[in-house]
């Protein structure tokens, strides 16, 4: 598994409400996306948007990020996203009441 944290500055005219509307319209694109386990759409009061993704593999993530995805971010928000990758080592899953290794 690999976690990707994607951050980007939002244009000043995109507030929380507008971000939520945009994210809602984009969410179906991520349903059943090959290799994607979870995606969180995030907004900060400081004017940043973020996506937190959990992928089955780095290859699955790279396949999406190398495609039209990057162009869509640039088109929607006028900026290139910053992507950081992390290898999950341990997961605390309170919904299941478990602590488990990510391997």
């Amino acid at each position: 598994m690999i976690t990707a944290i994607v951050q980007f500055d939002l244009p000043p005219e995109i507030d929380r409400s507008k971000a939520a509307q945009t994210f809602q319209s984009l969410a179906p694109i991520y349903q059943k996306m090959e290799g994607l386990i979870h995606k969180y759409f995030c907004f900060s009061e400081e004017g940043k948007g973020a996506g937190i993704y959990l992928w089955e593999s780095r290859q699955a993530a790279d396949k999406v990020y190398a495609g039209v995805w990057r162009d869509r971010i640039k088109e929607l928000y006028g900026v290139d996203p910053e992507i950081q990758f992390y290898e999950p080592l341990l997961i605390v899953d309170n919904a299941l009441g478990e602590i488990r290794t990510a391997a």
Side-chain angles (χ1 to χ4, degrees), residues 26-101:
L26 295 172
I29 295 169
Y30 296 92
Q31 286 185 306
K32 300 180 183 174
M33 183 175 279
E34 186 177 343
L36 182 63
I37 300 168
H38 293 288
K39 177 183 181 356
Y40 295 85
F41 290 88
C42 304
F43 172 82
S44 79
E45 294 298 329
E46 292 79 26
K48 290 195 176 284
I52 302 172
Y53 302 76
L54 182 60
W55 295 97
E56 291 175 357
S57 68
R58 175 70 186 256
Q59 293 78 17
D62 286 341
K63 183 177 176 182
V64 170
Y65 298 145
V68 298
W69 176 90
R70 187 178 294 274
D71 294 335
R72 186 171 48 248
I73 296 291
K74 181 94 173 177
E75 180 182 318
L76 284 169
Y77 309 115
V79 295
D80 285 317
E82 175 187 326
I83 306 172
Q84 296 175 325
F85 293 97
Y86 297 91
E87 179 185 355
L89 301 178
L90 194 67
I91 298 166
V92 175
D93 188 329
N94 288 331
L96 296 178
E98 298 177 348
I99 298 175
R100 62 184 184 277
T101 61

